[in-house]
Amino acid sequence: MAQNYAYLDQYGILHLHNQQEAAKHGKHVATNLQADDSGYPVVDGEGVVYYSQENAAFIRGNRKDGERVATPEEIEQLADQLK
């Protein structure tokens, strides 16, 4: 498995990509989390869309149509490193 790197986009949404892509967005950190096809972290088999400014995590969609869940600890730790 390739190493992923996490970064927050201009809206504070967490993404995972390769190092070259993540570096284009400024501050980034290495993570063992895998990404889904859209570049969102996968936790317990589900892609998680995380909004750092709201500390809100959603599965099976985003805040418009996804299911809000408690923010996984792995996601909180990544977001703290990126702030």
Side-chain angles (χ1 to χ4, degrees):
M1 283 183 205
Q3 177 79 55
N4 282 315
Y5 292 81
Y7 67 90
L8 297 174
D9 70 13
Q10 63 191 18
Y11 304 105
I13 300 170
L14 184 70
H15 296 273
L16 301 181
H17 286 287
N18 62 43
Q19 187 175 23
Q20 183 178 3
E21 182 63 29
K24 294 177 186 177
H25 299 275
K27 189 173 184 179
H28 59 285
V29 295
T31 180
N32 291 326
L33 288 176
Q34 295 305 302
D36 67 10
D37 291 338
S38 299
Y40 297 112
V42 174
V43 178
D44 295 332
E46 297 278 2
V48 178
V49 179
Y50 176 70
Y51 297 86
S52 65
Q53 296 168 342
E54 301 166 25
N55 190 27
F58 297 84
I59 59 173
R60 294 185 285 281
N62 58 28
R63 66 177 160 215
K64 291 182 182 180
D65 60 2
E67 176 186 341
R68 187 169 182 168
V69 295
T71 303
E73 184 177 338
E74 303 97 312
I75 302 293
E76 285 184 2
Q77 291 172 351
L78 274 177
D80 286 346
Q81 292 178 45
L82 291 165
K83 291 180 181 179

